[in-house]
Amino acid sequence: MATYCLTVSRLQLALGHGARRLHVSAAYRAKAKVAMSRFEPASFINYEKLQSNVEIVQKRLNRPLTLSEKIVYGHLDDPHHQEIDRGRTYLRLRPDRVAMQDATAQMAMLQFISSGLPRVAVPSTIHCDHLIEAQIGGVKDLARAKEVNEEVYNFLASAGAKYGVGFWKPGSGIIHQIILENYAYPGVMLIGTDSHTPNGGGLGAICIGVGGADAVDVMAGIPWELKCPKVIGVRLTGTLSGWTSPKDIILKVAGILTVKGGTGAIVEYHGPGVDSISCTGMATICNMGAEIGATTSVFPYNHRMRTYLEKTGRGEIAAVADEYKDLLVPDAGCEYDQVIELNLDELRPHINGPFTPDLAHPVSEVGAVAKKHGWPLEVKVGLIGSCTNSSYEDMGRAASLAKQALDKGLKCKAQFTVTPGSEQIRATIERDGYSKILSDVGGVVLANACGPCIGQWDRRDVKKGEKNTIVTSFNRNFTARNDANPATHAFVTSPEIVTALAIAGTLDFNPETDYLTAANGEKFKLVPPTGDELPAKDFDPGQDTYQHPPSDGVSLTVDVSPQSNRLQLLEPFDKWSGNDLEDMVVLIKVKGKCTTDHISAAGPWLKFRGHLDNISNNMLIGAVNFENDAVNKIKNHLTGEYGGVPDVARHYKANGVSWVVVGDDNYGEGSSREHAALEPRHLGGRAIIVKSFARIHETNLKKQGLLPLTFNNPSDYDKIRPDDKISIKGLKSFAPGKPLTAVVKHSDGSQDTLVLNHTFNETQIEWFQAGSALNRMKELQH
């Protein structure tokens, strides 16, 4: 069989050993009206090598493999000798490419610059989507963002050009939609500095969210480490129909598995029900898999993916994938660590929330639950779009409902916003009339960006502290996440349900059974939504927003002003002293849920993502203090006075006092933002001791030279008092699988000795000893 080399981009597909090349049709390029440089003919995957690696591993393991195992093990650095044990061993992998959104790319590129390397070793891209605040509407908001963030955008564009990284300009769209349209394809392994990178699983890819330091490893050409994932199988039967959408599948699964049920596992969907879901619908499901803590999620290659590839100008990729179809689906008889059965014929529309994405309710029941708990019934704002639900199909189905309301003389009772996922989606729904319908019903079309989903929303219709309800088609609904108002009750659901509730204006409206009143007084029911999976006329790519890096960027410069309050070059963290950590104070004992939003808030703080000292002023300001149930109010044990968490931490650091944070379950769930690890390290933290960690945050802490440790006995959390002094013993003999010891001295003279577990392997212990993974990388260069 010939070797098939598959480009990540749409532009080229090399067959054989470069003997001949197939290109995207001239017709598509003519329709695109964009420069050839938009597409990046750089990265390729060799399907024959992938298959060879899988065969090597399969022979060693002597068992059928799941799809996720095939793709993950097919990217092993050393398939002949890599120890493979799901849930235990660390795998050394060679991902095909890296993608970074602008908020995390700043720190990732600053770390790459610190590495001293001249150019990235794998194809990489930067996507400007996080720094655009929703205020008025797409055009004006984008213009304002370009002005306000000029320094950051110039830094990212120039750093990309110098180090060989493609740059998608502001207005191009949300990173995950751009990846789906351009870079994801069956069998590829991609890592992205955003927790919703798993979106690409909708195209049969293994796409994993990571911190910036992990991205630096891959860009530096170093094998990337991942604990061998367990595999949760979700077997789908039946068919989606009526009001039920792909979003309802993951809303239901989130209710089953909870926010930590997928930790350390890949969720693999399979079964006959898969074929009733569109490719972009599968992406929606994989995207929100981040909310159950999953490493990633994936679907098997099928005709829906083939159609999407063809419609996005990548028919040649689909043709080769067809030839390797057996490689891109699970083996018969493969075993999962857990199996969830879901009958789509029986699945009803769901809505999850408030305050957590795993609190699942059927739409038919949420009104009664809201009344019982005193949640506001009036829907103030309905928001559709985001990286989770902004496909052509999503917008079409929402528009079909809006059209019914308009035909009856109605507009939305709630405010209504629409966020296109990409410039291509924006241009296409505008051409095909969806944008006008959604605007006519009362919608405001926002910029092609993250916007309100990540707190980039200048909301003015309610005051901070005012209790209110919003419904969104987003993926995450933590307290104060969308609008910085802790009293906002945010619910996540499908775009169809958001649209229906925005029209009705109340949370207790069930579109399957309830009636609306037309302008002429007649009662009517909304007909279930419909919408084309893909546009009949092909996609309109809109404006060209891609900057390809030059072949040689050595002569280019990247300037960071020492006076800047947005960007700051990094200084190396200090190395381990060689001794145990003695008599550290407890900075804060955190009570309850502590996500990365609590540790390093987004929203207005996004502007400082490239300046470590400035953004450290938001460290743990959202965490609840166990001592007094207050937020951002802790006791300074040197002065006896109470102050903000960052202020007290800075005071300890200035006085040479090391500190620890004590936390609860699933500490650090949510976003991949490594600032939640960089900030504690920068302000003098040494260890984070909790009941359990979310995967990405635990890795990020290790990368920055901190000690993420877990209580061997979770009830030991209760033994820690706010004024304790904690010593961590056993660091001189720090070894994989060997617990450390905490000696906890209480102010009354008594003490406790606690066992602390860790998941460090030998390489990660070297990171700790060197002071950070980046420090260790530099050591190895000399």
Side-chain angles (χ1 to χ4, degrees):
M1 182 180 288
T3 299
Y4 288 88
C5 300
L6 194 58
T7 66
V8 171
S9 76
R10 307 174 191 175
L11 248 195
Q12 67 183 173
L13 178 67
L15 285 89
H17 297 279
R20 71 186 179 96
R21 295 180 181 275
L22 292 179
H23 296 282
V24 172
S25 69
Y28 184 87
R29 290 198 301 272
K31 288 175 190 170
K33 300 176 186 174
V34 296
M36 294 278 283
S37 64
R38 169 177 176 177
F39 306 112
E40 195 172 347
S43 174
F44 62 90
I45 182 173
N46 185 323
Y47 268 149
E48 193 172 69
K49 182 179 179 183
L50 185 70
Q51 183 157 306
S52 173
N53 285 355
V54 169
E55 288 172 353
I56 291 166
V57 171
Q58 201 150 25
K59 189 173 182 181
R60 289 178 53 205
L61 298 181
N62 194 30
R63 62 172 175 81
L65 299 178
T66 69
L67 169 61
S68 52
E69 286 184 306
K70 288 182 179 181
I71 302 174
V72 171
Y73 303 162
H75 285 83
L76 286 170
D77 184 50
D78 183 3
H80 289 282
H81 303 104
Q82 171 71 62
E83 186 182 4
I84 298 171
D85 184 5
R86 291 196 323 214
R88 187 182 67 84
T89 59
Y90 280 87
L91 307 178
R92 291 167 62 82
L93 301 164
R94 292 284 185 179
D96 297 300
R97 69 179 301 125
V98 173
M100 299 168 281
Q101 41 96 336
D102 50 357
T104 50
Q106 295 170 63
M107 198 58 69
M109 291 309 296
L110 286 166
Q111 289 178 87
F112 188 81
I113 291 170
S114 296
S115 76
L117 296 170
R119 194 172 179 87
V120 296
V122 302
S124 305
T125 48
I126 293 167
H127 303 259
C128 294
D129 60 1
H130 270 59
L131 302 180
I132 302 167
E133 185 181 47
Q135 279 190 335
I136 303 165
V139 175
K140 291 183 178 178
D141 291 347
L142 177 59
R144 179 175 176 273
K146 288 179 177 177
E147 181 181 336
V148 170
N149 302 307
E150 182 179 16
E151 179 186 13
V152 171
Y153 292 148
N154 286 344
F155 165 72
L156 292 173
S158 61
K162 181 170 181 64
Y163 296 104
V165 179
F167 180 69
W168 288 84
K169 302 172 188 175
S172 59
I174 305 173
I175 177 173
H176 312 303
Q177 185 67 29
I178 298 293
I179 289 171
L180 200 71
E181 293 172 356
N182 294 275
Y183 302 127
Y185 60 85
V188 74
M189 175 176 271
L190 177 150
I191 66 164
T193 60
D194 190 280
S195 58
H196 294 108
T197 300
N199 190 78
L203 256 179
I206 290 293
C207 299
I208 300 176
V210 299
D214 275 344
V216 172
D217 280 355
V218 178
M219 290 192 293
I222 297 171
W224 173 60
E225 285 196 339
L226 176 72
K227 182 175 272 192
C228 188
K230 293 185 176 182
V231 188
I232 297 172
V234 179
R235 186 173 187 272
L236 303 178
T237 56
T239 305
L240 286 178
S241 62
W243 283 92
T244 309
S245 73
K247 184 67 161 283
D248 295 307
I249 295 173
I250 184 58
L251 294 172
K252 178 70 173 179
V253 170
I256 295 169
L257 286 175
T258 77
V259 290
K260 64 176 185 175
T263 303
I266 293 177
V267 178
E268 187 170 312
Y269 294 86
H270 62 284
V274 167
D275 285 340
S276 75
I277 309 169
S278 66
C279 176
T280 51
M282 291 186 253
T284 290
I285 294 165
C286 293
N287 177 296
M288 197 175 160
E291 270 44 79
I292 56 175
T295 300
T296 192
S297 302
V298 69
F299 277 83
Y301 179 62
N302 68 0
H303 71 282
R304 300 276 197 160
M305 296 183 192
R306 182 196 314 124
T307 302
Y308 184 80
L309 286 168
E310 290 168 348
K311 208 70 171 178
T312 51
R314 295 173 288 173
E316 293 88 347
I317 293 177
V320 181
D322 283 345
E323 295 201 26
Y324 281 87
K325 191 175 191 313
D326 289 346
L327 182 64
L328 304 173
V329 296
D331 289 336
C334 67
E335 293 189 2
Y336 298 98
D337 295 284
Q338 177 183 351
V339 176
I340 295 170
E341 300 268 355
L342 213 55
N343 184 341
L344 303 184
D345 291 332
E346 299 172 358
L347 184 64
R348 305 309 322 143
H350 272 62
I351 183 168
N352 289 21
F355 307 122
T356 184
D358 59 350
L359 186 57
H361 322 274
V363 170
S364 59
E365 299 174 13
V366 71
V369 176
K371 289 170 187 172
K372 178 182 175 182
H373 291 284
W375 302 335
L377 288 178
E378 181 191 1
V379 174
K380 287 284 191 182
V381 192
L383 305 98
I384 66 169
S386 87
C387 65
T388 320
N389 275 116
S390 58
S391 67
Y392 185 82
E393 180 183 40
D394 289 329
M395 295 301 175
R397 284 169 66 88
S400 76
L401 297 173
K403 179 72 163 60
Q404 292 179 55
L406 289 168
D407 289 345
K408 297 292 185 179
L410 299 184
K411 290 192 174 187
C412 291
K413 288 185 178 178
Q415 291 184 43
F416 188 47
T417 70
V418 180
T419 304
S422 69
E423 170 62 7
Q424 179 164 277
I425 292 295
R426 183 209 60 77
T428 306
I429 66 171
E430 189 171 295
R431 179 198 69 192
D432 293 351
Y434 292 167
S435 292
K436 185 176 190 311
I437 294 169
L438 294 169
S439 295
D440 287 348
V441 85
V444 175
V445 179
L446 301 175
N448 314 322
C450 303
C453 184
I454 60 161
Q456 284 284 42
W457 183 17
D458 184 19
R459 187 181 181 193
R460 299 184 180 183
D461 63 297
V462 296
K463 295 177 181 176
K464 190 168 183 177
E466 183 180 338
K467 202 172 173 183
N468 74 100
T469 286
I470 64 173
V471 292
T472 82
S473 68
F474 305 162
N475 42 41
R476 200 167 276 164
N477 60 342
F478 301 144
T479 302
R481 175 178 172 85
N482 301 124
D483 61 0
N485 181 4
T488 293
H489 292 56
F491 295 83
V492 291
T493 184
S494 67
E496 300 93 315
I497 296 297
V498 171
T499 305
L501 295 181
I503 292 167
T506 180
L507 193 62
D508 59 355
F509 176 73
N510 178 8
E512 291 190 293
T513 59
D514 295 348
Y515 287 80
L516 294 168
T517 303
N520 65 3
E522 73 171 292
K523 303 285 187 181
F524 75 99
K525 274 175 64 176
L526 291 169
V527 175
T530 58
D532 291 338
E533 180 177 344
L534 294 162
K537 302 177 186 175
D538 288 342
F539 283 106
D540 180 343
Q543 299 177 34
D544 181 15
T545 53
Y546 177 68
Q547 173 186 295
H548 192 70
S551 57
D552 184 356
V554 172
S555 62
L556 302 177
T557 58
V558 180
D559 293 324
V560 177
S561 167
Q563 284 76 45
S564 173
N565 72 346
R566 298 286 303 268
L567 298 164
Q568 179 186 47
L569 293 173
L570 297 174
E571 296 291 332
F573 290 131
D574 60 319
K575 295 178 66 170
W576 173 54
S577 66
N579 300 312
D580 288 337
L581 300 173
E582 301 281 355
D583 291 331
M584 297 180 290
V585 299
V586 177
L587 178 69
I588 181 173
K589 180 179 178 181
V590 177
K591 179 181 178 180
K593 185 187 280 279
C594 190
T595 72
T596 48
D597 282 85
H598 294 86
I599 304 168
S600 176
W605 291 95
L606 284 167
K607 67 173 71 76
F608 299 123
R609 284 281 181 89
H611 196 294
L612 179 54
D613 194 56
N614 282 347
I615 199 166
S616 293
N617 289 324
N618 78 357
M619 185 189 74
L620 286 161
I621 62 175
V624 176
N625 183 7
F626 183 90
E627 179 187 9
N628 54 14
D629 281 336
V631 172
N632 200 30
K633 184 179 179 183
I634 61 171
K635 188 172 185 178
N636 183 327
H637 294 290
L638 296 183
T639 66
E641 298 174 353
Y642 282 83
V645 181
D647 300 324
V648 175
R650 287 185 187 278
H651 188 257
Y652 288 157
K653 181 181 179 182
N655 286 275
V657 176
S658 296
W659 50 263
V660 304
V661 169
V662 176
D664 215 314
D665 261 320
N666 207 31
Y667 185 89
E669 72 171 277
S671 162
S672 70
R673 66 192 68 153
E674 65 182 337
H675 301 78
L678 282 159
E679 293 172 31
R681 184 73 164 99
H682 176 63
L683 294 186
R686 293 296 173 181
I688 312 292
I689 307 170
V690 301
K691 294 180 182 177
S692 65
F693 283 102
R695 174 189 65 86
I696 300 177
H697 186 59
E698 181 181 22
T699 301
N700 287 345
L701 291 167
K702 292 177 183 177
K703 287 278 186 179
Q704 303 306 336
L706 282 152
L707 290 171
L709 305 170
T710 55
F711 296 108
N712 183 60
N713 183 349
S715 65
D716 285 347
Y717 168 90
D718 299 321
K719 295 179 180 178
I720 306 295
R721 305 171 193 170
D723 57 353
D724 285 342
K725 296 286 183 68
I726 298 178
S727 298
I728 295 176
K729 306 286 190 179
L731 290 174
K732 291 182 179 179
S733 57
F734 196 9
K738 182 180 178 183
L740 296 170
T741 301
V743 177
V744 183
K745 298 176 185 175
H746 305 302
S747 58
D748 61 6
S750 63
Q751 68 179 41
D752 285 298
T753 300
L754 312 178
V755 177
L756 300 178
N757 296 327
H758 66 84
T759 60
F760 280 82
N761 60 25
E762 290 178 0
T763 300
Q764 293 167 346
I765 290 171
E766 291 174 355
W767 299 345
F768 167 74
Q769 293 168 340
S772 70
L774 188 58
N775 287 359
R776 181 59 180 155
M777 183 194 298
K778 289 181 180 176
E779 288 177 357
L780 294 173
Q781 289 174 23
H782 299 305

